Amino acid sequence: MVRKGVCCCCAALRPRYKRLVDNIFPEDPKDGLVKADMEKLTFYAVSAPEKLDRIGTYLAERLSRDVVRHRYGYVFIAMEALDQLLMACHSQSIKPFVESFLHMVAKLLESGEPKLQVLGTNSFVKFANIEEDTPSYHRRYDFFVSQFSAMCHSYHEDPEIQTEIRIAGIRGIQGVVRKTVNDELQATIWEPQHMDKIVPSLLFNMHKMEDVDSRTCPPSSPSGREKENPGMLAENCFRELLGRATYGNMNHAVRPVFAHLDHHRLWDPHEFAVSIFKIIMYSIQAQYSHHVIQEILAHLDARKRDFPRVRAGIIQALLQAVAIAAKGSIGPTVLEVFNTLLKHLRFSVDFELSDRRSSVSSASFSVSTKENDERIVQNAIIQTIGFFGSNLPDYHRSEIMMFIMGKVPVLGATSHTLDTSQLGDLGTRRVQIMLLRSLQMVTTGYSAKTVAAALPAPFLDPLLSPSLMDDCELRQLVLEILHNLMDRHNNRAKLRGIRIIPDVSDLKIKRDKIARQDLNFIKKHGQQLYRHVYLGCKEEDNTQKNFELIYTTLALITIELANEEMVIDLIRVAVALQDIAIVNEDNLPMFHRCSIMAVVAAYLNFLSQMIAVPAFCQHVSKVIETRNVEAPYFLPEAIFREKKCNLPKSLGKDETNLFFLANQIAESLAGSGYSVERLSVPYVPLVTDEDRLSRRKSLVDTLSIQVDLLPGCNLEEKAHSTEEITFETLKQAIDNNALEEQEKEKRRLVIEKFQKAPFEEIAAQCETKANLLHDRLTQILDRTVRPPPSPSGTMAVTSGHVRYHSIPVYEMKFPDLCVY
């Protein structure tokens, strides 16, 4: 075929490759590519690969002219020929031809004509699927990244054409990724200037999807519908891009996500942002999960002063990320996650309190909304901490428990690492409650081999400190955390709801033999646990939930830790709780007194059936039956479940048939081999500095100075036996021979008690009396004029047995207070 407008002689003198190229174009472009001549051109290109460069250059010249002249029929024929040559020729000489091919594709993309842009994109995708034998050192795809990204944001007037252009742009980006991402010499695709165009373009189309929930699942196989849906195609391209990311370029692929979400304000509402990070976490390699978490934490730090709902959206994205990462490898970011979240928890409380303070002066109408938004942030942080911790292995979770516990601020102490010095008491309480709530979520489902392993001393001591705070919610959280860690056999659900259980065997309580470590634990820390139960009952702000949790605590201690010796201690604690309600030294409301009596009844009913001593069960059942008839307000079914329970005006101390008596309990247990001597010793809680730190009324102020160790000494006798200690009474006590004999007898009884009573109880009583005696005597001696010293440096006051030395040493004898 002779080219139109060229004579036969001139055509014969033209190079062969040009004549072969001219022959593939028909006179009418509607006839399409001349297949016979195309086969000749292909055979010539394969036979003489060195001519590919010239063939490509000539085709590019023709295509450029046809594009300018709007002869789009010949443009399609030229691109079809290029595609066939590209697919047929696989040799090292194809590289110069590729340059001409890419130049022609660029011409089509620049034309602005939708059909030509789609044509150029399709040719580029075919080229991207070809695996080249040798890498290209100089080829760059910067133009194609920019052009395809622009096509992804097309806003053509015709919706169908707009969708077609966007799909072409996404497929072009996918082709660039496939062509360059696996080539180590083509690392430029991961540079920030390229990722800042590719990632937002994909996210822009994903945001246009109507079905947001469809993105939350792992990637599925492509379908024909994707070709009509830019969002689905963009999602698969995004997944493919993330799946090919390596350790060194993971951050470059993730950071543009934050920029896009910030620019388009997609953190509030956060559904789209959360779905994007689900896609990211499912698509990347598991060992790189901690990179994403670190980027989220860094972005949260950068936006720490943004609107509360924006921060809440970022935290929700973090929640989904850590939820997925916790199932695999999360690297070294565990403590970093918790540390950052706790820091932002403190920030949120600070912002909330500052808004509240500003509302007092300005009376702003929107302050309540800001406070509610901050509560959303705080709840999101707690949920993230708890969910992350609960998904960690048990060995890792124990470290997190210690870490969170170390962050809980204690009033009056400066050892905590979470700075709440600027928050005040209200802010500190808020932080305490939220940290304990997160700790509660972390401990849920935690299983340790022994209770001693679940509650080590460095964890137990700070945990029990908030249980003495005058905040009922704090005490509830502490007890719930204790339940999570102590309930190793999942019995707590069976104990839910305080009640008189007719037959405990119906509950099918699971119980194993107590381990030696747990026996040592309860011997060492039992008095500490009993103390917090005892003092917790005396709080005036207790609610029904507090009493139910106290009952559950006693029941779990019985199941998990109680042997015969501990059973006696538990009974002593129960009787002491009953005395709180009867004596009422703390002036508790009648509801609280009746509630304490109900807790004691429910617990002793449970304990008697657990140890299965018939005489003990009979005594407990008799008291419960009597209460049911004469005083139903002493039973949990009446005091906690009846809306209008008729409470008594006073509690008679003489109605012994309504009380559980220690002497009758001792008689009932003595026949079964229990050592009941200690039941005659009233329970007295250990005195520590926690009362001062928790800002409670000091226990020293509530205990009489005449705390006696002798059996049978009730509270009334202690109150009447208290007298003022003066210097004259000391002299009279020393000179009185009758009191000397009485003192010797008391000493003998005290020594006997020291041999039988528990060490913790003895230490508590001795420490209390020693402190009180020291304070009282110091006051007396400060008011007394001290005689001048003798020349020898000593002076003896014989009648008072007070000796003054160069270093003052006071030796005093007092018949009623024995301190060793």
Side-chain angles (χ1 to χ4, degrees):
M1 179 182 295
V2 180
R3 188 183 177 193
K4 184 177 181 182
V6 179
C7 64
C8 296
C9 296
C10 293
L13 296 176
R14 290 171 59 82
R16 185 181 180 187
Y17 72 88
K18 288 188 176 182
R19 286 183 280 129
L20 292 174
V21 169
D22 292 338
N23 291 338
I24 65 175
F25 291 94
E27 292 185 2
D28 187 358
K30 295 181 181 180
D31 295 338
L33 182 67
V34 180
K35 294 183 179 180
D37 292 327
M38 187 64 215
E39 291 177 357
K40 295 179 182 179
L41 178 61
T42 303
F43 179 77
Y44 177 77
V46 172
S47 302
E50 68 276 3
K51 300 294 185 179
L52 271 175
D53 183 19
R54 298 181 181 181
I55 295 174
T57 303
Y58 184 61
L59 276 172
E61 292 176 359
R62 288 205 52 155
L63 184 138
S64 299
R65 292 196 303 267
D66 293 335
V67 169
V68 173
R69 297 171 182 176
H70 300 283
R71 296 191 297 185
Y72 297 142
Y74 289 115
V75 172
F76 279 89
I77 293 175
M79 291 305 302
E80 184 180 357
L82 283 171
D83 293 340
Q84 292 189 20
L85 288 174
L86 197 62
M87 300 297 295
C89 302
H90 295 282
S91 66
Q92 190 171 2
S93 301
I94 198 177
K95 298 196 179 301
F97 176 75
V98 169
E99 298 301 325
S100 301
F101 169 80
L102 294 177
H103 178 70
M104 287 183 280
V105 172
K107 285 289 184 181
L108 296 179
L109 298 177
E110 285 180 327
S111 64
E113 182 67 27
K115 293 183 179 179
L116 297 185
Q117 289 180 332
V118 173
L119 176 64
T121 301
N122 293 335
S123 297
F124 183 84
V125 171
K126 294 178 182 178
F127 161 72
N129 293 327
I130 297 176
E131 295 183 3
E132 300 183 49
D133 297 334
T134 58
S136 176
Y137 295 93
H138 61 280
R139 190 184 307 156
R140 298 183 62 88
Y141 298 91
D142 299 11
F143 168 79
F144 296 99
V145 171
S146 301
Q147 192 63 37
F148 289 138
S149 299
M151 292 169 62
C152 291
H153 294 82
S154 173
Y155 279 99
H156 198 276
E157 297 177 356
D158 190 341
E160 293 184 359
I161 296 178
Q162 173 184 299
T163 301
E164 189 176 2
I165 295 175
R166 289 185 179 182
I167 291 176
I170 297 169
R171 294 181 68 240
I173 290 177
Q174 192 173 26
V176 173
V177 171
R178 290 177 179 177
K179 191 64 178 176
T180 61
V181 79
N182 290 328
D183 191 351
E184 296 180 357
L185 298 175
Q186 287 290 344
T188 56
I189 192 63
W190 295 108
E191 293 178 356
Q193 63 266 28
H194 299 316
M195 288 291 107
D196 290 343
K197 298 175 182 178
I198 293 175
V199 173
S201 300
L202 299 176
L203 296 178
F204 173 78
N205 286 274
M206 293 168 65
H207 191 216
K208 299 299 180 180
M209 290 178 59
E210 295 180 0
D211 188 8
V212 176
D213 294 334
S214 65
R215 296 192 294 267
T216 61
C217 58
S220 57
S221 58
S223 61
R225 189 177 179 182
E226 292 177 6
K227 298 179 180 179
E228 302 175 359
N229 192 337
M232 290 296 297
L233 185 61
E235 177 187 332
N236 281 307
C237 181
F238 188 53
R239 291 183 186 272
E240 183 178 354
L241 175 67
L242 295 170
R244 297 172 182 268
T246 59
Y247 181 86
N249 48 47
M250 175 60 65
N251 295 339
H252 297 305
V254 175
R255 287 174 183 170
V257 176
F258 296 105
H260 180 81
L261 296 176
D262 290 341
H263 180 71
H264 293 276
R265 300 178 180 179
L266 298 177
W267 293 111
D268 178 31
H270 59 261
E271 285 76 13
F272 175 73
V274 170
S275 66
I276 290 300
F277 280 96
K278 282 186 176 181
I279 292 176
I280 293 174
M281 297 304 294
Y282 279 123
S283 301
I284 63 176
Q285 301 180 43
Q287 63 268 28
Y288 302 148
S289 298
H290 62 279
H291 281 284
V292 179
I293 296 176
Q294 286 176 335
E295 290 297 325
I296 300 176
L297 294 175
H299 193 68
L300 182 60
D301 288 336
R303 304 297 297 270
K304 64 181 180 181
R305 298 192 177 277
D306 215 321
F307 295 106
R309 290 188 175 272
V310 172
R311 287 181 279 126
I314 299 174
I315 295 170
Q316 287 294 334
L318 178 64
L319 171 61
Q320 297 301 327
V322 299
I324 299 172
K327 301 175 183 178
S329 173
I330 52 178
T333 60
V334 178
L335 294 181
E336 182 182 354
V337 171
F338 286 99
N339 194 34
T340 303
L341 289 175
L342 294 178
K343 180 177 63 176
H344 284 277
L345 185 62
R346 187 248 183 242
F347 288 154
S348 180
V349 174
D350 194 8
F351 294 151
E352 179 185 359
L353 295 179
S354 63
D355 291 338
R356 185 176 301 177
R357 287 190 293 266
S358 64
S359 66
V360 176
S361 58
S362 63
S364 175
F365 181 77
S366 61
V367 168
S368 60
T369 303
K370 293 182 179 178
E371 291 183 4
N372 293 333
D373 291 345
E374 290 295 344
R375 294 293 178 92
I376 294 175
V377 175
Q378 295 161 13
N379 291 332
I381 293 175
I382 293 171
Q383 185 181 8
T384 303
I385 292 175
F387 192 84
F388 190 18
S390 62
N391 280 277
L392 293 174
D394 287 340
Y395 69 90
H396 217 158
R397 205 188 309 187
S398 61
E399 298 178 2
I400 298 304
M401 290 159 47
M402 291 293 297
F403 181 78
I404 297 177
M405 197 67 248
K407 296 288 185 178
V408 177
V410 179
L411 289 173
T414 59
S415 59
H416 54 82
T417 56
L418 189 63
D419 183 18
T420 58
S421 57
Q422 303 298 325
L423 298 181
D425 292 348
L426 179 61
T428 301
R429 289 289 175 86
R430 289 281 301 151
V431 173
Q432 286 175 328
I433 289 175
M434 288 182 287
L435 289 178
L436 290 177
R437 283 177 56 193
S438 61
L439 186 59
Q440 178 195 5
M441 296 184 65
V442 173
T443 55
T444 301
Y446 178 73
S447 178
K449 293 183 179 180
T450 61
V451 176
L455 291 170
F459 178 80
L460 181 63
D461 294 341
L463 174 64
L464 292 179
S465 293
S467 68
L468 299 179
M469 301 284 184
D470 52 354
D471 189 304
C472 63
E473 186 176 359
L474 275 174
R475 300 194 299 274
Q476 291 172 9
L477 291 171
V478 170
L479 292 177
E480 288 175 350
I481 293 170
L482 277 176
H483 297 171
N484 289 341
L485 299 174
M486 292 176 59
D487 185 20
R488 299 185 300 113
H489 299 89
N490 298 322
N491 293 313
R492 183 174 43 173
K494 304 171 185 177
L495 301 171
R496 187 169 299 154
I498 181 172
R499 63 195 185 279
I500 302 297
I501 304 174
D503 189 358
V504 176
S505 60
D506 293 340
L507 300 180
K508 297 181 180 180
I509 299 294
K510 296 180 182 179
R511 190 180 185 186
D512 294 334
K513 183 179 179 180
I514 303 176
R516 180 172 55 86
Q517 297 91 330
D518 287 345
L519 289 176
N520 295 333
F521 169 82
I522 193 62
K523 287 181 180 179
K524 183 177 181 181
H525 301 286
Q527 295 297 325
Q528 190 178 5
L529 293 173
Y530 304 152
R531 172 178 181 268
H532 286 266
V533 170
Y534 179 86
L535 296 179
C537 282
K538 300 174 71 173
E539 296 291 347
E540 295 184 359
D541 62 339
N542 278 336
T543 62
Q544 177 180 343
K545 184 177 180 180
N546 289 91
F547 292 113
E548 291 180 352
L549 292 173
I550 289 173
Y551 161 76
T552 305
T553 302
L554 292 170
L556 289 177
I557 293 176
T558 304
I559 296 171
E560 299 290 346
L561 299 170
N563 56 4
E564 292 185 1
E565 182 180 355
M566 295 302 111
V567 166
I568 300 299
D569 288 338
L570 288 168
I571 294 175
R572 292 176 59 216
V573 173
V575 174
L577 294 178
Q578 181 179 249
D579 291 340
I580 293 176
I582 297 174
V583 180
N584 195 26
E585 289 184 344
D586 298 283
N587 296 321
L588 295 175
M590 185 56 66
F591 172 78
H592 289 68
R593 298 171 68 184
C594 294
S595 298
I596 294 174
M597 299 291 280
V599 170
V600 174
Y603 173 64
L604 289 180
N605 172 72
F606 176 81
L607 176 63
S608 63
Q609 297 187 54
M610 287 296 293
I611 64 177
V613 176
F616 185 27
C617 293
Q618 184 178 1
H619 171 66
V620 173
S621 300
K622 182 179 178 180
V623 174
I624 292 175
E625 291 175 1
T626 305
R627 289 185 177 185
N628 198 21
V629 176
E630 300 181 10
Y633 42 79
F634 283 167
L635 298 177
E637 286 79 4
I639 191 66
F640 293 137
R641 287 172 176 77
E642 294 183 5
K643 295 183 178 179
K644 295 182 179 180
C645 180
N646 295 324
L647 300 178
K649 296 182 179 179
S650 62
L651 297 183
K653 299 180 181 180
D654 299 331
E655 299 177 356
T656 56
N657 59 331
L658 298 178
F659 306 146
F660 300 97
L661 304 178
N663 56 353
Q664 294 189 18
I665 295 175
E667 292 176 2
S668 64
L669 293 177
S672 299
Y674 284 86
S675 179
V676 297
E677 291 82 2
R678 287 185 295 114
L679 282 177
S680 59
V681 181
Y683 170 76
V684 178
L686 185 68
V687 181
T688 66
D689 291 336
E690 289 178 351
D691 301 290
R692 176 182 59 81
L693 296 180
S694 59
R695 297 188 179 179
R696 290 171 49 93
K697 183 180 179 182
S698 176
L699 188 63
V700 176
D701 298 335
T702 65
L703 294 179
S704 172
I705 193 173
Q706 296 286 335
V707 177
D708 203 342
L709 289 171
L710 297 179
C713 181
N714 55 30
L715 296 176
E716 294 181 359
E717 295 174 351
K718 296 173 186 177
H720 290 299
S721 62
T722 304
E723 60 179 353
E724 184 179 2
I725 303 173
T726 64
F727 199 78
E728 294 297 327
T729 58
L730 292 176
K731 293 171 61 178
Q732 294 175 4
I734 296 171
D735 294 336
N736 194 331
N737 294 331
L739 292 179
E740 288 286 352
E741 294 297 327
Q742 184 180 1
E743 180 186 358
K744 291 180 181 180
E745 180 63 17
K746 284 189 175 183
R747 285 177 182 274
R748 187 187 63 81
L749 294 176
V750 168
I751 292 174
E752 182 179 352
K753 281 299 172 184
F754 268 63
Q755 294 174 348
K756 295 180 180 180
F759 176 79
E760 292 82 2
E761 180 182 347
I762 297 171
Q765 295 177 359
C766 290
E767 181 181 0
T768 302
K769 293 194 291 185
N771 293 337
L772 292 173
L773 181 58
H774 178 270
D775 295 340
R776 184 64 63 86
L777 292 179
T778 302
Q779 295 175 2
I780 294 173
L781 294 176
D782 287 343
R783 294 195 301 266
T784 304
V785 178
R786 183 176 301 168
S790 61
S792 61
T794 61
M795 185 193 73
V797 181
T798 307
S799 61
H801 287 261
V802 179
R803 293 181 177 84
Y804 175 78
H805 300 270
S806 58
I807 300 177
V809 177
Y810 305 96
E811 297 177 0
M812 301 183 180
K813 295 182 179 179
F814 188 65
D816 296 326
L817 295 175
C818 303
V819 181
Y820 298 91

